[in-house]
Amino acid sequence: MSRVVSTSGSSGAKRAPGWLNPWVIAGIVLVLVATAGGALLIGRARRTTQVWATTRALAPGIVLRADDLQAVEARLPGDAPRYLRAGDKGKLVGLTVNRALTAHELLPTSALSGTAPGTTVSVPLDSGDAPPVTRGQRVRLWVSTTRCKAVVVLADVAVQDVTNTGGGTFGSGNGETVVLRVLANDASRVVQALGIDSAVMRAAVLTGPPADDGASGTSLANCAGG
């Protein structure tokens, strides 16, 4: 009597676990790569760089001083080369601001230029002849006498410094003295205006676009009476 023996189609070898499937392994690798890449990007985004920022608003023409700058931490993932990294402040002191900067603005490399030759002049102002002025602002100066109501001395100039004084232009009342840095011809014009007998110097703070109306080209001879 013959015996029928059933056999399975399996060769007897164990099948590899599903997680060893090449497609599964590839998927796991992609997830790990994506996770690591995301963590790297987040880390870079959170990384800060110490750069220079302004301590006050600065008009074009201001020559930088040490107290105009402060080191701040900023996140600059893509714009880092545009800004000046905090370091030796002495390398920046003495350079000239070439565009308007707001207070606490990060300092761009493009906002500074070399300082051209110039002359520093001081202009005393009575308290009633000018609003309070601070370093970094722009002002327009007028002179007036009994012979002329008002002639522009300087149309638009940056204020390098301000000192409070016990006297005004001619020693009476409270006032302030503004320090300006100008070209040699403009310095001569200021000295001429200050030398006119009984002259009154007035100032106004400017905002907005630079004034370029040629107002400072008017002769001061009529104010002097000669």
Side-chain angles (χ1 to χ4, degrees):
M1 184 176 184
S2 62
R3 181 183 296 176
V4 177
V5 179
S6 62
T7 60
S8 65
S10 173
S11 62
K14 293 183 178 179
R15 183 173 295 179
W19 61 270
L20 290 179
N21 187 301
W23 294 106
V24 175
I25 295 174
I28 293 173
V29 171
L30 289 175
V31 170
L32 292 175
V33 170
T35 301
L40 181 61
L41 289 175
I42 292 173
R44 288 181 177 177
R46 291 179 176 175
R47 188 181 304 166
T48 61
T49 303
Q50 195 171 59
V51 294
W52 289 121
T54 59
T55 58
R56 58 172 65 88
L58 299 172
I62 291 294
V63 178
L64 278 183
R65 297 190 320 208
D67 61 354
D68 294 324
L69 302 172
Q70 60 182 342
V72 298
E73 295 287 339
R75 294 178 183 175
L76 304 171
D79 293 332
R82 290 182 53 197
Y83 299 100
L84 290 164
R85 296 200 176 203
D88 186 359
K89 189 181 292 188
K91 294 180 179 180
L92 301 182
V93 171
L95 295 179
T96 297
V97 175
N98 59 35
R99 72 164 179 82
L101 296 171
T102 59
H104 312 300
E105 179 178 347
L106 300 185
L107 189 61
T109 304
S110 60
L112 299 179
S113 304
T115 299
T119 302
T120 300
V121 294
S122 297
V123 180
L125 300 165
D126 283 327
S127 59
D129 296 327
V133 180
T134 61
R135 169 175 165 78
Q137 292 182 317
R138 296 157 45 219
V139 295
R140 174 173 286 203
L141 292 180
W142 291 269
V143 64
S144 59
T145 68
T146 55
R147 293 177 177 271
C148 62
K149 291 184 177 180
V151 173
V152 175
V153 180
L154 297 176
D156 191 339
V157 61
V159 177
Q160 304 291 340
D161 202 1
V162 181
T163 57
N164 293 324
T165 60
T169 307
F170 299 106
S172 61
N174 295 322
E176 57 191 353
T177 297
V178 295
V179 179
L180 312 172
R181 194 173 189 279
V182 295
L183 298 176
N185 288 342
D186 289 335
S188 297
R189 185 175 176 85
V190 171
V191 172
Q192 181 185 356
L194 292 173
I196 298 174
D197 289 338
S198 301
V200 175
M201 293 288 288
R202 292 184 171 87
V205 175
L206 300 177
T207 59
D212 188 19
D213 51 14
S216 58
T218 304
S219 173
L220 300 177
N222 291 336
C223 295

